[in-house]
Amino acid sequence: MTVHDRPLSSVLETVGNTPLVGLQAAPAAVSVYAKLETFNPGASVKDRIGAYMLEAMLERGDIEPGGTVVEPTAGNTGIGFAIAARQLGLEAIFVVPERFSVEKQQLMDALGARVINTPTDDGMGGAIERAHDLADELDDAVVPQQFSNPLNTEAHYETTAPEIYDALDGEVGAVVAGCGTAGTLMGLARYALERNPDTHVVAVEPEGSLYGEFLGEEREEGEYKIEGIGTHDTATNELFDPDLVDEIRPVSDEAAHDELTRLAAEEGHLVGSSAGAASVAARDVAEHIAAGDLDVPADAVVTVFPDSSERYLSKDIYRSFEAWTS
Ligand code: PMP
């Protein structure tokens, strides 16, 4: 639980300052820490960009109080923006392709946002187009566009990263994070490399995703079940800067699923599949450091657990791997 020693005036003030918890299944000589983003009010890392981006856009005058935020989103971002929008006096409309999780759409609706579905066949591209059309039709509406807006990266550079470095007194050897928009990893990486240019930076993607192409690696495009990370078209990942990244590690659906079930059963973490994938990669990086294969400034690896497994119970996340992927 976020620690606050006085009453707060809005749930928005509980965004961030999430706990950093050491993983028990780490090698003896190298610690692995996970930032538990499920402790945010909307239970995901995206509450940070909701609060940070909308506050910054209001401050800059990109939008006025009473204006409308229109964002194409598959889920967690909508929840994060919905919470912040209502608390900051803004309206919110989310354009969501039909196939995405019903739970997430119900939460956006409950938080006072309007949800508009676009045909599954039109993909995320169709949702983006519709969002821009809608914003053009409305007075004082903006599309924050998390995939291209530098405020997304900045939210993590200004909040997530300093929280981690303060908690560890700056003793960080490697940062490992899954990439969807890549805002989380880019914010962490920029901060980490400013503190120490030898910090090892690792991006995590599902097997079947194409992020590896940014480093000139071969990737075979395929479907994956891991939610929230990965890309099928690197042209959309405008925030990703390959110069800040040492490695891009693919993790299979099965390895991520094994790890998320282990994290629950052994360590009490109720986290989604992108956290499972991040944990697999972070533990592996720690093993390499322990074996002396990687030279890093400190014997500590940091990763991020972006959201909760409770958001995926209807998708049978805790049943067998076969049930989850069928
Ligand atoms: N995991 C989950 C569950 C997410 O919803 C997201 C956001 N798409 C991420 C990881 C990746 O975060 P980012 O967009 O900052 O790369």
Side-chain angles (χ1 to χ4, degrees), residues 45-46 76 152 156 178-184 227-229 274 306-307 312:
V45 68
K46 290 295 179 182
N76 286 330
N152 175 352
H156 296 287
C179 289
T181 65
T184 307
E227 273 196 50
I229 59 173
S274 67
D307 77 349
Y312 310 99

Side-chain angles (χ1 to χ4, degrees), residues 8 13 31 49 56 80 95 106 119-120 125-126 147 152 173 186 217 263 270 277 286 298 310 325:
L8 304 172
E13 292 177 42
S31 306
I49 70 164
V95 185
Q106 281 180 2
T120 299
F147 277 90
N152 175 352
M186 291 299 111
E217 292 167 9
L263 281 166
L270 295 174
E310 292 197 49
T325 47

